[in-house]
Amino acid sequence: HCAVVTRDGAVYAWGDNGSGQVGAGTGGGHFDVPTRIALPASAAGVACGDAHTVVHMRGTDDPLYLWGASKAGQLGCGKTEEQFISSPVALDLPGVITVACGIHHSLAATSRGVFAWGFGGSGRLGVGDFSKLPCGISVGPMLLDLLVSDFSKCSVACGNQHSLVAVGGQVFSFGCNSHGQLGLNKSAKTLPSMQSPALIVGLEHAHVVSAGTNFSVCITADGRVFSWG
């Protein structure tokens, strides 16, 4: 599925709706044309996972709004009993700057730090030993330990099973390293995964990060592009 935010803050979504990920209030089928999603305020950004959607609003005190598949905790709403939620639900997480979604997890950069929730397999949440989480799932936002004080300029990205955070000109990576997507100069055999944020050495002046299934990209402040995985 796909989702966009328009210049005036409206959110439109379309595509597969098997888990209510379009957010139109029904589950199943698909939407062939962009459908406006009912939200109480103007949106600033949106991210799509495999079958869930996360929107952050323009107001710094506004909550996030999420919908779609929830069985892996990717909506952060504190429960996994429901297979999916087909209409936006609010998640109180003030000061959100940007959001990102992986296949079954979500990240949000806020003025207080970076939060992660959802399925933690391979360490993609970056909160340490995910096996200590119930069923490997965090049903609500967990604050990452990044040892950084200023999050005013922060970028986050999620691949299927790995995550990236760019803050303070540095990039931290965590999760699955099956194809070297963490950029830590270690093979999958040597380092199959990383369960806590690890600094990518030598990558400086990072500005924006992005991630695909098993690869990663970073744009620096001076416009250079680096990729790996």
PDB file of all heavy atoms in Angstrom, residues 146-168:
ATOM      1  N   LEU A 146      20.962   6.257  23.011  1.00  0.00           N
ATOM      2  CA  LEU A 146      21.877   6.714  21.967  1.00  0.00           C
ATOM      3  C   LEU A 146      22.973   7.641  22.483  1.00  0.00           C
ATOM      4  O   LEU A 146      23.858   8.028  21.722  1.00  0.00           O
ATOM      5  CB  LEU A 146      21.085   7.444  20.865  1.00  0.00           C
ATOM      6  CG  LEU A 146      20.160   6.560  20.030  1.00  0.00           C
ATOM      7  CD1 LEU A 146      19.216   7.414  19.200  1.00  0.00           C
ATOM      8  CD2 LEU A 146      20.981   5.652  19.125  1.00  0.00           C
ATOM      9  N   LEU A 147      22.936   8.003  23.766  1.00  0.00           N
ATOM     10  CA  LEU A 147      23.960   8.862  24.366  1.00  0.00           C
ATOM     11  C   LEU A 147      24.118  10.162  23.584  1.00  0.00           C
ATOM     12  O   LEU A 147      25.219  10.662  23.368  1.00  0.00           O
ATOM     13  CB  LEU A 147      25.297   8.122  24.467  1.00  0.00           C
ATOM     14  CG  LEU A 147      25.278   6.817  25.280  1.00  0.00           C
ATOM     15  CD1 LEU A 147      26.648   6.163  25.250  1.00  0.00           C
ATOM     16  CD2 LEU A 147      24.843   7.085  26.718  1.00  0.00           C
ATOM     17  N   VAL A 148      22.988  10.705  23.113  1.00  0.00           N
ATOM     18  CA  VAL A 148      22.951  11.971  22.379  1.00  0.00           C
ATOM     19  C   VAL A 148      21.953  12.874  23.089  1.00  0.00           C
ATOM     20  O   VAL A 148      20.907  12.410  23.560  1.00  0.00           O
ATOM     21  CB  VAL A 148      22.523  11.754  20.912  1.00  0.00           C
ATOM     22  CG1 VAL A 148      22.394  13.077  20.185  1.00  0.00           C
ATOM     23  CG2 VAL A 148      23.516  10.844  20.197  1.00  0.00           C
ATOM     24  N   SER A 149      22.269  14.166  23.190  1.00  0.00           N
ATOM     25  CA  SER A 149      21.396  15.082  23.926  1.00  0.00           C
ATOM     26  C   SER A 149      20.525  15.942  23.024  1.00  0.00           C
ATOM     27  O   SER A 149      19.450  16.382  23.431  1.00  0.00           O
ATOM     28  CB  SER A 149      22.228  15.988  24.842  1.00  0.00           C
ATOM     29  OG  SER A 149      23.182  16.724  24.093  1.00  0.00           O
ATOM     30  N   ASP A 150      20.964  16.203  21.794  1.00  0.00           N
ATOM     31  CA  ASP A 150      20.231  17.095  20.897  1.00  0.00           C
ATOM     32  C   ASP A 150      19.629  16.303  19.742  1.00  0.00           C
ATOM     33  O   ASP A 150      20.349  15.783  18.890  1.00  0.00           O
ATOM     34  CB  ASP A 150      21.165  18.174  20.362  1.00  0.00           C
ATOM     35  CG  ASP A 150      20.439  19.197  19.495  1.00  0.00           C
ATOM     36  OD1 ASP A 150      19.204  19.101  19.362  1.00  0.00           O
ATOM     37  OD2 ASP A 150      21.105  20.096  18.941  1.00  0.00           O
ATOM     38  N   PHE A 151      18.307  16.210  19.712  1.00  0.00           N
ATOM     39  CA  PHE A 151      17.613  15.459  18.666  1.00  0.00           C
ATOM     40  C   PHE A 151      16.846  16.382  17.716  1.00  0.00           C
ATOM     41  O   PHE A 151      15.958  15.938  16.992  1.00  0.00           O
ATOM     42  CB  PHE A 151      16.660  14.445  19.292  1.00  0.00           C
ATOM     43  CG  PHE A 151      17.354  13.297  19.960  1.00  0.00           C
ATOM     44  CD1 PHE A 151      17.723  13.384  21.293  1.00  0.00           C
ATOM     45  CD2 PHE A 151      17.664  12.151  19.252  1.00  0.00           C
ATOM     46  CE1 PHE A 151      18.382  12.329  21.924  1.00  0.00           C
ATOM     47  CE2 PHE A 151      18.326  11.084  19.863  1.00  0.00           C
ATOM     48  CZ  PHE A 151      18.681  11.179  21.203  1.00  0.00           C
ATOM     49  N   SER A 152      17.186  17.655  17.708  1.00  0.00           N
ATOM     50  CA  SER A 152      16.445  18.609  16.883  1.00  0.00           C
ATOM     51  C   SER A 152      16.607  18.310  15.398  1.00  0.00           C
ATOM     52  O   SER A 152      15.727  18.613  14.597  1.00  0.00           O
ATOM     53  CB  SER A 152      16.903  20.033  17.178  1.00  0.00           C
ATOM     54  OG  SER A 152      18.301  20.184  16.941  1.00  0.00           O
ATOM     55  N   LYS A 153      17.738  17.730  15.011  1.00  0.00           N
ATOM     56  CA  LYS A 153      17.963  17.316  13.637  1.00  0.00           C
ATOM     57  C   LYS A 153      18.233  15.817  13.634  1.00  0.00           C
ATOM     58  O   LYS A 153      19.335  15.374  13.941  1.00  0.00           O
ATOM     59  CB  LYS A 153      19.137  18.079  13.018  1.00  0.00           C
ATOM     60  CG  LYS A 153      18.881  19.571  12.882  1.00  0.00           C
ATOM     61  CD  LYS A 153      20.062  20.279  12.243  1.00  0.00           C
ATOM     62  CE  LYS A 153      19.793  21.772  12.112  1.00  0.00           C
ATOM     63  NZ  LYS A 153      20.947  22.494  11.500  1.00  0.00           N
ATOM     64  N   CYS A 154      17.199  15.058  13.315  1.00  0.00           N
ATOM     65  CA  CYS A 154      17.290  13.602  13.412  1.00  0.00           C
ATOM     66  C   CYS A 154      16.538  12.958  12.257  1.00  0.00           C
ATOM     67  O   CYS A 154      15.474  13.424  11.851  1.00  0.00           O
ATOM     68  CB  CYS A 154      16.704  13.134  14.747  1.00  0.00           C
ATOM     69  SG  CYS A 154      16.902  11.372  15.079  1.00  0.00           S
ATOM     70  N   SER A 155      17.100  11.902  11.712  1.00  0.00           N
ATOM     71  CA  SER A 155      16.466  11.140  10.640  1.00  0.00           C
ATOM     72  C   SER A 155      16.461   9.668  11.034  1.00  0.00           C
ATOM     73  O   SER A 155      17.440   9.168  11.593  1.00  0.00           O
ATOM     74  CB  SER A 155      17.239  11.339   9.326  1.00  0.00           C
ATOM     75  OG  SER A 155      16.742  10.505   8.295  1.00  0.00           O
ATOM     76  N   VAL A 156      15.361   8.984  10.769  1.00  0.00           N
ATOM     77  CA  VAL A 156      15.266   7.552  11.073  1.00  0.00           C
ATOM     78  C   VAL A 156      14.813   6.796   9.830  1.00  0.00           C
ATOM     79  O   VAL A 156      14.123   7.347   8.970  1.00  0.00           O
ATOM     80  CB  VAL A 156      14.295   7.275  12.245  1.00  0.00           C
ATOM     81  CG1 VAL A 156      14.850   7.828  13.542  1.00  0.00           C
ATOM     82  CG2 VAL A 156      12.912   7.865  11.976  1.00  0.00           C
ATOM     83  N   ALA A 157      15.207   5.543   9.736  1.00  0.00           N
ATOM     84  CA  ALA A 157      14.816   4.704   8.599  1.00  0.00           C
ATOM     85  C   ALA A 157      14.736   3.256   9.051  1.00  0.00           C
ATOM     86  O   ALA A 157      15.456   2.838   9.956  1.00  0.00           O
ATOM     87  CB  ALA A 157      15.818   4.844   7.454  1.00  0.00           C
ATOM     88  N   CYS A 158      13.861   2.500   8.410  1.00  0.00           N
ATOM     89  CA  CYS A 158      13.696   1.082   8.712  1.00  0.00           C
ATOM     90  C   CYS A 158      13.754   0.268   7.427  1.00  0.00           C
ATOM     91  O   CYS A 158      13.059   0.589   6.452  1.00  0.00           O
ATOM     92  CB  CYS A 158      12.354   0.798   9.378  1.00  0.00           C
ATOM     93  SG  CYS A 158      12.072   1.632  10.947  1.00  0.00           S
ATOM     94  N   GLY A 159      14.568  -0.780   7.421  1.00  0.00           N
ATOM     95  CA  GLY A 159      14.461  -1.807   6.402  1.00  0.00           C
ATOM     96  C   GLY A 159      13.492  -2.861   6.905  1.00  0.00           C
ATOM     97  O   GLY A 159      12.764  -2.640   7.880  1.00  0.00           O
ATOM     98  N   ASN A 160      13.471  -3.998   6.256  1.00  0.00           N
ATOM     99  CA  ASN A 160      12.591  -5.059   6.745  1.00  0.00           C
ATOM    100  C   ASN A 160      12.912  -5.451   8.175  1.00  0.00           C
ATOM    101  O   ASN A 160      12.028  -5.579   9.019  1.00  0.00           O
ATOM    102  CB  ASN A 160      12.690  -6.288   5.840  1.00  0.00           C
ATOM    103  CG  ASN A 160      11.756  -6.217   4.651  1.00  0.00           C
ATOM    104  OD1 ASN A 160      11.177  -5.175   4.377  1.00  0.00           O
ATOM    105  ND2 ASN A 160      11.614  -7.317   3.942  1.00  0.00           N
ATOM    106  N   GLN A 161      14.224  -5.636   8.446  1.00  0.00           N
ATOM    107  CA  GLN A 161      14.627  -6.146   9.754  1.00  0.00           C
ATOM    108  C   GLN A 161      15.797  -5.371  10.347  1.00  0.00           C
ATOM    109  O   GLN A 161      16.487  -5.873  11.222  1.00  0.00           O
ATOM    110  CB  GLN A 161      15.007  -7.627   9.642  1.00  0.00           C
ATOM    111  CG  GLN A 161      13.896  -8.522   9.124  1.00  0.00           C
ATOM    112  CD  GLN A 161      14.331  -9.964   9.038  1.00  0.00           C
ATOM    113  OE1 GLN A 161      14.565 -10.617  10.060  1.00  0.00           O
ATOM    114  NE2 GLN A 161      14.472 -10.484   7.834  1.00  0.00           N
ATOM    115  N   HIS A 162      16.037  -4.157   9.856  1.00  0.00           N
ATOM    116  CA  HIS A 162      17.085  -3.338  10.457  1.00  0.00           C
ATOM    117  C   HIS A 162      16.640  -1.887  10.518  1.00  0.00           C
ATOM    118  O   HIS A 162      15.646  -1.506   9.887  1.00  0.00           O
ATOM    119  CB  HIS A 162      18.415  -3.482   9.700  1.00  0.00           C
ATOM    120  CG  HIS A 162      18.489  -2.749   8.393  1.00  0.00           C
ATOM    121  ND1 HIS A 162      17.754  -3.111   7.283  1.00  0.00           N
ATOM    122  CD2 HIS A 162      19.208  -1.655   8.018  1.00  0.00           C
ATOM    123  CE1 HIS A 162      18.033  -2.304   6.269  1.00  0.00           C
ATOM    124  NE2 HIS A 162      18.910  -1.398   6.698  1.00  0.00           N
ATOM    125  N   SER A 163      17.358  -1.097  11.296  1.00  0.00           N
ATOM    126  CA  SER A 163      16.984   0.293  11.503  1.00  0.00           C
ATOM    127  C   SER A 163      18.218   1.184  11.510  1.00  0.00           C
ATOM    128  O   SER A 163      19.323   0.733  11.836  1.00  0.00           O
ATOM    129  CB  SER A 163      16.245   0.456  12.839  1.00  0.00           C
ATOM    130  OG  SER A 163      15.128  -0.415  12.927  1.00  0.00           O
ATOM    131  N   LEU A 164      18.002   2.461  11.151  1.00  0.00           N
ATOM    132  CA  LEU A 164      19.063   3.450  11.128  1.00  0.00           C
ATOM    133  C   LEU A 164      18.586   4.728  11.815  1.00  0.00           C
ATOM    134  O   LEU A 164      17.420   5.105  11.695  1.00  0.00           O
ATOM    135  CB  LEU A 164      19.453   3.803   9.688  1.00  0.00           C
ATOM    136  CG  LEU A 164      19.874   2.682   8.746  1.00  0.00           C
ATOM    137  CD1 LEU A 164      19.967   3.211   7.318  1.00  0.00           C
ATOM    138  CD2 LEU A 164      21.216   2.104   9.183  1.00  0.00           C
ATOM    139  N   VAL A 165      19.507   5.377  12.512  1.00  0.00           N
ATOM    140  CA  VAL A 165      19.234   6.683  13.109  1.00  0.00           C
ATOM    141  C   VAL A 165      20.399   7.603  12.779  1.00  0.00           C
ATOM    142  O   VAL A 165      21.554   7.264  13.056  1.00  0.00           O
ATOM    143  CB  VAL A 165      19.081   6.589  14.641  1.00  0.00           C
ATOM    144  CG1 VAL A 165      18.886   7.984  15.234  1.00  0.00           C
ATOM    145  CG2 VAL A 165      17.919   5.686  15.022  1.00  0.00           C
ATOM    146  N   ALA A 166      20.111   8.742  12.175  1.00  0.00           N
ATOM    147  CA  ALA A 166      21.122   9.769  11.937  1.00  0.00           C
ATOM    148  C   ALA A 166      20.842  10.927  12.880  1.00  0.00           C
ATOM    149  O   ALA A 166      19.760  11.515  12.845  1.00  0.00           O
ATOM    150  CB  ALA A 166      21.088  10.239  10.491  1.00  0.00           C
ATOM    151  N   VAL A 167      21.805  11.247  13.727  1.00  0.00           N
ATOM    152  CA  VAL A 167      21.633  12.329  14.689  1.00  0.00           C
ATOM    153  C   VAL A 167      23.012  12.880  15.036  1.00  0.00           C
ATOM    154  O   VAL A 167      23.985  12.130  15.160  1.00  0.00           O
ATOM    155  CB  VAL A 167      20.888  11.840  15.952  1.00  0.00           C
ATOM    156  CG1 VAL A 167      21.648  10.744  16.668  1.00  0.00           C
ATOM    157  CG2 VAL A 167      20.576  12.991  16.885  1.00  0.00           C
ATOM    158  N   GLY A 168      23.097  14.197  15.150  1.00  0.00           N
ATOM    159  CA  GLY A 168      24.371  14.799  15.483  1.00  0.00           C
ATOM    160  C   GLY A 168      25.459  14.535  14.457  1.00  0.00           C
ATOM    161  O   GLY A 168      26.640  14.514  14.798  1.00  0.00           O
TER     162      GLY A 168
END
